Amino acid sequence: MEAITFLFDGFQTALQPHNLLFAFIGVLIGTAVGVLPGIGPMSGVALLIPVTASMTTGLDPAQAATSSIILLAGVYYGAMYGGSTTSILLNTPGESSSVVTTLDGYQMAKQGRAGSALAIAAIGSFVAGIVSLIALVLLAQPLSNLALKFGPAEYFSLMLLGLAAVSGLAGNSMTKAWMMTVFGLLLSTIGLDSVSGVARFTYDISVLYGGLEFLTVAVGLFALGEVFKAILHKEKNDGEIAKIGRIIPSKEDLKESAGPIARGSLLGFFVGVLPGAGATLASFFSYIVEKKLSQTPEKFGKGTIAGVAAPESANNAASGGAMIPLLTLGIPGSGTTAILMGALIMYNVQPGPLLFDEHPDVAWGLIASMFIGNIMLLILNMPLVKIFAKIIETPSKYLLPLIIAISIFGVYAVQVTTFDVLLLIAFGVFGYLLSSHDFPLAPLVLGLVLGPMIENNMRRALTSSNGDFMIFFEKPISLVLIIAAVLWVLVPLFMKLKGKNVVINEDM
């Protein structure tokens, strides 16, 4: 099978000593990021983009892109593993996808079964990661073959679908998500017009001619924004950390969790593939399914092992599933994959249908490294769980200055301009203000990343059709993608309105 041959080539890339080191560093930092409440995978990945850029300066561009994305992806799925630690020991989710794990995980910890809960979370995460990667290998090549049928019109419509999918990253308000998307698109227009050479929104500031750097915006919004939030809100963990006893789960625990792990892995993967759905939704779905299928649903919420196994498997499978639309279609499936997409573009690697033809070493090297990374995570998480638990106790007075230093020095090392450091701080304040008022940050980043691609493909399509906009509706694939984008926006809107009408009628 062709995909297996490509995967073996990917393993040759991933097993190079420097790439193994990058994968190890990625999963190690990712676990720590997941363990620390409040940071989360989005902030962790954004923070490490400038670090990876500095670490890969001696490598050629293709190798630098591969090594960097291996490390950043390691942080992404490593954080999914680590997020369960605080959920179980402290009743505080490391990131949003671990919220459901607190329901039974913390109850198990209070019963003296914290070790078993953490072990099952690690085993479930490993199984789910492998299941999602096998599916990724099988689906990647067929989807990338669609590249032959994609022209500028199809690409434009695909990018529109990507923006429509941002409604899934909306948080509580779709209106706020769209406002952020439009603002991201506006920011992407700053700089010299690639066709006419006209300066747009630069106000004669020479450093703006190249546009706003994705790196500066992402690190400012996510990493520094979280720091300002922690400082101003004086966030700290006052909960009592549960003691960890026996790490190895019993045969009964393994037997009880086998079904939930299998179902959570499959469900999580398919939910993760849907752009915008994400790991949080997958973990909630998985928990609900297990509760419905269980012969003893009354045990859920009181410390049942299935209540830990199912959501932890689902959120890790979803992170693997989210890589499919990113790598094969160029549509980020979550906020973190939107940042990964920006990092790839920064290295002149365009995610999407042509990725597997133009940059097979990057695509297959990344997939192979995720297999290796999952094995590393299982080896790390089982024996070192007590050490990772100690990370929770890191005082903010040490952690926050470290994040600020990495952010500023990292951005300056890559951009080498004082202006970018000032811009970083400005976006940090802006990110804090937005998140404080419940404005989602991921749509802004997505708009900034997709903006130039939307503009370029629209222009190319209109040039070929002599300015006729019907080209977007005459091409079958383009039309299907536009219809899908419209439905993606309208269906949730109608469902919301219908729900409100039902409530009004019941009140009457």
Side-chain angles (χ1 to χ4, degrees):
M1 197 174 173
E2 197 178 18
I4 303 298
T5 308
F6 283 121
L7 184 61
F8 276 118
D9 292 339
F11 272 110
Q12 286 182 349
T13 303
L15 288 169
Q16 290 173 8
H18 65 278
N19 284 336
L20 279 174
L21 179 64
F22 273 70
F24 178 75
I25 293 169
V27 297
L28 189 66
I29 293 172
T31 306
V33 161
V35 165
L36 291 165
I39 297 182
M42 274 199 287
S43 303
V45 172
L47 184 65
L48 284 167
I49 292 172
V51 178
T52 58
S54 303
M55 288 170 72
T56 55
T57 45
L59 303 172
D60 70 61
Q63 283 183 320
T66 307
S67 299
S68 296
I69 206 67
I70 282 172
L71 191 149
L72 294 173
V75 174
Y76 175 34
Y77 54 85
M80 294 298 177
Y81 270 71
S84 62
T85 307
T86 44
S87 297
I88 292 165
L89 298 181
L90 203 62
N91 202 28
T92 305
E95 22 83 30
S96 60
S97 61
S98 295
V99 170
V100 192
T101 310
T102 61
L103 301 176
D104 284 277
Y106 187 60
Q107 293 301 319
M108 285 183 70
K110 287 206 294 187
Q111 295 162 18
R113 297 165 64 207
S116 293
L118 288 165
I120 287 297
I123 292 165
S125 297
F126 171 74
V127 172
I130 298 299
V131 167
S132 64
L133 284 169
I134 291 167
L136 176 58
V137 169
L138 296 174
L139 291 173
Q141 200 61 34
L143 282 173
S144 67
N145 288 337
L146 286 170
L148 298 171
K149 298 176 184 177
F150 272 58
E154 286 82 3
Y155 269 112
F156 171 78
S157 302
L158 185 64
M159 298 304 151
L160 280 188
L161 177 60
L163 288 181
V166 90
S167 58
L169 309 172
N172 297 325
S173 169
M174 199 183 287
T175 308
K176 286 180 177 178
W178 283 111
M179 286 170 70
M180 288 294 93
T181 307
V182 171
F183 188 63
L185 290 171
L186 289 172
L187 289 179
S188 74
T189 62
I190 294 172
L192 292 176
D193 184 344
S194 58
V195 176
S196 65
V198 174
R200 302 185 295 192
F201 308 110
T202 55
Y203 305 103
D204 293 327
I205 301 170
S206 58
V207 285
L208 284 177
Y209 288 159
L212 295 182
E213 281 294 332
F214 159 79
L215 171 68
T216 309
V217 175
V219 175
L221 285 175
F222 292 102
L224 275 193
E226 285 297 325
V227 167
F228 292 145
K229 186 180 174 185
I231 292 169
L232 294 168
H233 291 246
K234 294 183 171 61
E235 292 178 358
K236 52 187 172 183
N237 302 316
D238 297 321
E240 190 180 331
I241 299 172
K243 288 191 173 139
I244 302 167
R246 170 189 161 135
I247 300 288
I248 307 298
S250 65
K251 283 184 181 178
E252 192 181 332
D253 284 337
L254 288 169
K255 191 179 175 183
E256 274 184 51
S257 56
I261 287 172
R263 288 187 289 270
S265 300
L266 293 171
L267 180 64
F269 172 76
F270 288 112
V271 172
V273 169
L274 296 170
T280 307
L281 194 63
S283 60
F284 272 100
F285 273 171
S286 182
Y287 189 84
I288 292 163
V289 166
E290 287 309 314
K291 196 172 179 181
K292 291 279 184 192
L293 293 175
S294 176
Q295 293 177 341
T296 52
E298 68 279 357
K299 286 186 179 179
F300 280 76
K302 294 177 183 175
T304 181
I305 197 81
V308 174
E312 278 303 305
S313 303
N315 72 34
N316 275 272
S319 67
M323 298 298 282
I324 285 188
L326 171 68
L327 297 177
T328 61
L329 300 173
I331 298 177
S334 64
T336 314
T337 49
I339 294 170
L340 284 173
M341 181 177 178
L344 280 166
I345 292 166
M346 198 177 91
Y347 286 102
N348 294 317
V349 176
Q350 178 63 60
L354 291 173
L355 174 67
F356 288 84
D357 289 332
E358 293 177 354
H359 302 282
D361 50 338
V362 176
W364 290 106
L366 169 62
I367 293 169
S369 78
M370 288 171 78
F371 277 101
I372 296 164
N374 271 282
I375 294 166
M376 286 179 177
L377 278 166
L378 186 66
I379 295 166
L380 279 172
N381 275 261
M382 292 293 278
L384 301 181
V385 72
K386 291 184 181 181
I387 295 168
F388 283 123
K390 288 282 179 190
I391 295 172
I392 301 169
E393 299 169 22
T394 306
S396 296
K397 64 181 179 181
Y398 300 126
L399 184 65
L400 298 181
L402 185 65
I403 293 172
I404 293 169
I406 293 170
S407 300
I408 292 173
F409 291 129
V411 166
Y412 186 78
V414 176
Q415 305 303 334
V416 204
T417 64
T418 312
F419 178 81
D420 271 282
V421 174
L422 296 173
L423 203 62
L424 171 77
I425 296 164
F427 271 103
V429 174
F430 189 50
Y432 161 70
L433 292 172
L434 288 174
S435 59
S436 298
H437 293 88
D438 203 28
F439 282 89
L441 301 177
L444 190 155
V445 172
L446 198 58
L448 183 67
V449 170
L450 293 182
M453 291 184 274
I454 289 173
E455 185 181 5
N456 291 336
N457 283 298
M458 186 178 79
R459 280 180 161 175
R460 285 170 59 205
L462 291 175
T463 302
S464 66
S465 68
N466 293 320
D468 186 2
F469 278 89
M470 286 305 293
I471 188 171
F472 299 111
F473 303 98
E474 288 168 355
K475 303 256 183 185
I477 294 175
S478 176
L479 180 62
V480 168
L481 291 169
I482 287 172
I483 291 168
V486 171
L487 289 174
W488 207 287
V489 175
L490 293 181
V491 169
L493 212 58
F494 282 129
M495 296 286 279
K496 207 170 183 181
L497 290 170
K498 192 177 176 184
K500 281 182 181 176
N501 289 335
V502 169
V503 172
I504 290 165
N505 292 331
E506 282 178 356
D507 289 344
M508 291 172 70

